[in-house]
Amino acid sequence: MALIHSDLDLIFHNPSDRKKGYRFPKSEVPSAEFPQSLSRKDKAQLPETSELDVVRHFTNLSHRNFSVDTHFYPLGSCTMKYNPKAAEDAASLPGFTELHPWTPFLPGGEEASQGALAVIHELGKTLAEAVGMDEVTCQPLAGAHGEMTGIMLVAAYHRTKGNRRKTVIVPDSSHGTNPASAAMAGYEIVTIPTAPYGDMDLDAFRAAMNDDVAAVMMTCPNTLGLFNPHIREIADIAHQYGALMYYDGANFNAILGKVRPGDVGFDVVHMNVHKTFGTPHGGGGPGAGPVGVKRSLVPFLPVPRVVKKSDGKYALETNRKDSIGSVANFFGNFGVLLRAYYYILANGREGLVRVSEMAVLNANYIMSRLKPYYDLPFDKTCMHECVFSASRQVKQGVHAIDIAKALIERGFHPPTVYFPMIVKEAVMIEPTETESKETLDEFIDAMIEIAKLAETDPASFAEMPSGMPVRRPDETRAAREIRVTCLG
Amino acid sequence: MDYCSHSVREIREMLSEIGVPSIESLFSPIPAELRTKQLDLPEGLSEYESLHRITDLAGSTLTDRVCFLGGGAYDHIIPAAVGALANRAEFVTAYTPYQPESSQGTLQALFEYQTAMCALTGMEVTNASMYDGASALAESVLMAMRITDRKRVLVDEGVNPVYRRVIATYLVNHDCEIVEIPLRKDLADEAAILAGIDDRTACVVIQNPNFLGSILDIRKIAEKAHSVEALVVESIYPVSLGILESPAARGADISTGDGQSLGNPLSFGGPSFGFLAVKKTHIRQLPGRIVGETIDRDGKRAFVLTLQAREQHIKRHKATSNICSNQSLCALRALFHMSVIGREGFAELAQLNLDLAAYARKTLSAIKGVKTVNEAPVFNEFVLELPVETNMVVEKLAKKGYYAGIPLGKFYPGREKQLLVAVTEKRTKSEIDGFARLLEESLWR
Amino acid sequence: MSTFYSKDHEWVLVEGSAGIVGITSYAAHQLGDITFVELPKKGKIVKQFEALCSIESVKAASDIYCPLSGKVLETNAALDTEPQVINTDAQGEGWIAKLELANPSETSNLMDEAAYRSYLKTLE
């Protein structure tokens, strides 16, 4: 894959007198007036160039990306698995892409949108089974959005019971979205440190639990890739105090088909379909964050809900008096949900279990082979991801970020670095199940070579990565001299 | 069908390297009593069968009817080049551009997207997109409350009813006061809003065109709001900005809206994206990802995610929002759309919408008993009042192949005879004439 | 005139009932290149160890806790345009705020220069 190294001009740099490119259908109706006082004085300064130039520009830009389809992408916590092309076909069917979202709200409109309503409902049911919950809403538009929705459900639950609880407990290894989502729902955060065994300090947790705690948010396996053997006990303690257990599904790929959060004591979960269920990441989105709940939280689910009537037809329910309301325009990221639906149909019961098995196998294989070369803060069987520390390399002046740049130079997307924050110089590797042993071996060889280079020529890292369109951009300058557009 | 490739031999080799007898032993840290039995799900299908199932479902929907539905989602032309570019695997299967050297494609494209949105809205800064127009509006309100350090929010009833519901959902756990100002006929009640603005007001929330399609000149409201240091949050329909003066020029402080109408298919309501654009002074209160320009080690122009200190992965519970991702690919579709149709095309697009809607409004209201409701200027959406309740008419016309419009009675009590009709550049004169003919038939024959 | 230090690496130069507050070069080094200082409002009243303001770098954000109770009289406007001064001269030109101290005897809860230096050694 040839990378274009020349400076790609911005699409906005065109002469202002270019011939108009695109042609719209000709108007067969009279021209209408628009009040002068409301009219634009000048046209919006958008690009003006031929279709060829637009296509060439963005095609060349695309060549400047690493992507799952082109590179091994072991970003811990992100689950960069292969995105099946058939899912793209499913999402492009005109029967879905051309369906207006107001259709089922029209009189007789549910009839016209049965296929789409079926996808939402059936996907919800399947996800509920996979996570061990009673019902699922597919409305949240992203993982963090699902977290916020889940905590809002918790808040509604407590409010209905007359509980004025003010706090949410999170482990210090949690993803930033956990405390941020709880704050969005009006809660204060209590953070529990991680104990040497690799997860939430039980004594500190017991000491922090009281009647003021609304929920405990856990990721399981946690962000260190470790399954918490005390999770049931934690859930029992939380429930004793009337608090709810929230499951962050970011790492669900590790236990899909093996453990169901609902069976373990969780009351509400969110899933990341763009992680676990193979929908593409799109450069940062769109994803979707369906939320599953136990019966006690069902009344609060957002509207509209898709239900299946006794005659087998699907319908919308918008009048639910205890619903928290809505968190999105319509039903959720339907095009994304479609892709997840394909993924589940194709994988099925046995395929979904194979996902976690191969994911865990791949991660442990990498951990085992890299152990001699990189410090392992928690030397025990990991799940779908393993966390190393670059502390050994730091002694030579080579930091986690330098290892990342070295990997880019060698044609690998780096693992996640500097997260979780409780590990110094963290390097979090999540290969996912769709990577072959061959690919893993190439990556491992590169990591070993890098470890050796850190001993023999640490100074060379500062120059990396070479061969890319840019090299070590100045992020400080970007934050101090803010330029977010090329206007003005 | 699964997507793993391990052979039996490879699995054996890997297990041997790890030093465990079986894959099952890798799951031994999990207490046995927590393990699930088999999932109660069907066996997997082949790719072909899976697609066939889904194609059947798609085939059962009725999308061949002529669409006059709007209400926040619009049936616009999407140039072929948009899909061709947006479907490139390097855009689709890439991740968030945290490592700038390996994601200049996404980063530069998002920078260009930010530029385009600022060009449309007249604002100085914007982020790399939000989830959708409704949640972006809710985040705008929270942002306005943070900036002003005030708790009172005035919301015009003309704002999309679902958006208002989302604002209420987002704000229920916050210490604030939401005051809804009822519509006056088809438009925001300017006098009531002006009277409601005081030094406790964080912001006034307006939608333009509003849910009924009417356009309000917000300048007076902006003037009064600014005199007491309150903000104007305007939720705008981006295609209208091809003809409507920019939000910044008209006095808005926060410009937000839904981007589906820019290059994204209807797709039953998602995915789409939201946008949030503001003046530079407010940039640190902006939620979401922001791409910034800088230079690299060799002095070359480079793009990076910037001002990350606002975001959840650094500030955690003190972040401007919990938002982690953006709707990158949908925002890119909007950029591709605006680039392909270009500066001239964007203006022409707006004019076409205006013309066709005006023609439809004239033609439909010429029918006996049908009245126009909008007294204020409109863009491509308007309300008709029928001589009967709309539901039956809508159902009849659907059977005859027309999605006539959205009955307003669902959201606005008292408007059971009113129908919200949207007309885009995809509609033809003959479709509009056909609509009129059928409407007349259904009313009077 | 003496300088006192808090465990969170803030310093305060005390002269009678006046205090000048900033962060130490250790803290500045931990943060990395400072990109923004959200200065406190003039007139803000703050208790000892309460959040005074916040500082951002590219990869981190930190609350600055006021080492002594008091009222903010003046803030260092230079930090608006040149936040990096804190990196180059944290205990001089990089001062953050001038306070009217409410209770100078609170310095008994702080470390003096020698104690702070010993404290830093324990962190290595």
Side-chain angles (χ1 to χ4, degrees), chain B residues 46-302:
Chain B
S46 67
E47 177 190 91
Y48 179 74
E49 287 162 313
S50 305
L51 267 179
H52 194 68
R53 232 356 131 81
I54 297 177
T55 308
D56 271 351
L57 289 173
S60 77
T61 66
L62 298 169
T63 51
D64 55 354
R65 295 170 175 167
V66 183
C67 183
F68 286 92
L69 302 175
Y74 300 91
D75 185 20
H76 284 292
I77 291 175
I78 300 178
V82 173
L85 289 167
N87 290 338
R88 289 195 64 81
E90 298 94 328
F91 284 131
V92 174
T93 68
Y95 189 60
T96 306
Y98 287 126
Q99 292 287 352
E101 290 93 340
S102 54
S103 34
Q104 286 299 295
T106 296
L107 284 166
Q108 181 169 336
L110 286 175
F111 181 83
E112 295 176 355
Y113 156 82
Q114 288 169 184
T115 302
M117 295 316 292
C118 286
L120 283 193
T121 59
M123 293 293 177
E124 292 167 325
V125 299
T126 187
N127 62 22
S129 79
M130 310 283 290
Y131 302 137
D132 71 353
S135 58
L137 186 58
E139 293 264 15
S140 300
V141 170
L142 288 170
M143 184 176 168
M145 286 167 59
R146 278 195 303 274
I147 292 172
T148 59
D149 200 12
R150 294 177 185 173
K151 301 185 186 345
R152 196 156 176 273
V153 177
L154 304 180
V155 180
D156 167 40
E157 195 198 5
V159 170
N160 184 321
V162 179
Y163 284 37
R164 279 183 280 134
R165 191 194 302 150
V166 172
I167 292 176
T169 303
Y170 265 68
L171 264 59
V172 71
N173 299 305
H174 290 253
D175 177 20
C176 64
E177 186 196 356
I178 304 179
V179 178
E180 200 168 276
I181 313 266
L183 282 167
R184 189 176 158 279
K185 300 197 196 176
D186 59 298
L187 201 58
D189 189 340
E190 189 183 69
I193 293 176
L194 288 171
I197 297 173
D198 62 21
D199 59 12
R200 296 169 300 148
T201 308
C203 60
V204 178
V205 182
I206 303 268
Q207 177 181 309
N208 256 333
N210 71 12
F211 195 69
L212 279 63
S214 289
I215 301 174
L216 173 76
D217 189 337
I218 60 169
R219 275 174 267 243
K220 267 216 203 110
I221 289 176
E223 216 178 284
K224 173 100 196 266
H226 296 154
S227 75
V228 295
E229 293 179 343
L231 301 177
V232 175
V233 174
E234 188 190 52
S235 179
I236 191 93
Y237 173 22
V239 174
S240 73
L241 291 176
I243 195 163
L244 179 62
E245 177 62 287
S246 79
R250 286 180 293 106
D253 297 290
I254 299 179
S255 178
T256 177
D258 194 282
Q260 174 270 324
S261 53
L262 299 171
N264 285 276
L266 287 167
S267 197
F268 206 50
S272 168
F273 70 92
F275 59 90
L276 235 190
V278 295
K279 294 203 184 71
K280 198 160 185 178
T281 48
H282 301 316
I283 194 171
R284 287 199 145 76
Q285 291 303 329
L286 253 188
R289 294 186 178 141
I290 301 178
V291 176
E293 185 184 328
T294 184
I295 56 172
D296 78 344
R297 184 71 62 85
D298 305 305
K300 276 202 229 147
R301 183 190 62 201

Side-chain angles (χ1 to χ4, degrees), chain A residues 100-110 303-305 315-320 326 329-331, chain B residues 69-71 157 159-162 164-165 180 183 211-212 383-384 388-392 394-395 405-420:
Chain A
H100 196 289
W102 281 115
T103 307
F105 295 94
L106 303 176
E110 278 166 353
V303 288
R305 280 197 64 60
L316 284 185
E317 224 176 60
T318 44
N319 255 338
R320 292 167 65 98
S326 303
N329 282 1
F330 297 105
F331 315 101
Chain B
L69 302 175
E157 195 198 5
V159 170
N160 184 321
V162 179
R164 279 183 280 134
R165 191 194 302 150
E180 200 168 276
L183 282 167
F211 195 69
L212 279 63
V383 176
L384 297 174
V388 296
E389 284 202 358
T390 54
N391 287 346
M392 212 180 41
V394 167
E395 206 162 350
I406 299 172
L408 276 186
K410 280 183 77 54
F411 309 106
Y412 295 92
R415 294 186 190 264
E416 285 73 19
K417 292 186 182 164
Q418 294 189 356
L419 186 68
L420 179 65

Side-chain angles (χ1 to χ4, degrees), chain A residues 411-435:
Chain A
F412 299 94
H413 192 284
T416 300
V417 290
Y418 301 107
F419 181 79
M421 307 205 290
I422 55 171
V423 171
K424 268 188 128 74
E425 299 284 334
V427 177
M428 192 204 286
I429 304 171
E430 182 186 355
T432 84
E433 73 283 3
T434 53
E435 298 298 334

Side-chain angles (χ1 to χ4, degrees), chain B residues 13-29:
Chain B
E13 280 171 15
M14 291 167 79
L15 288 172
S16 157
E17 160 63 41
I18 297 166
V20 294
S22 64
I23 293 177
E24 184 52 41
S25 55
L26 291 172
F27 287 89
S28 61

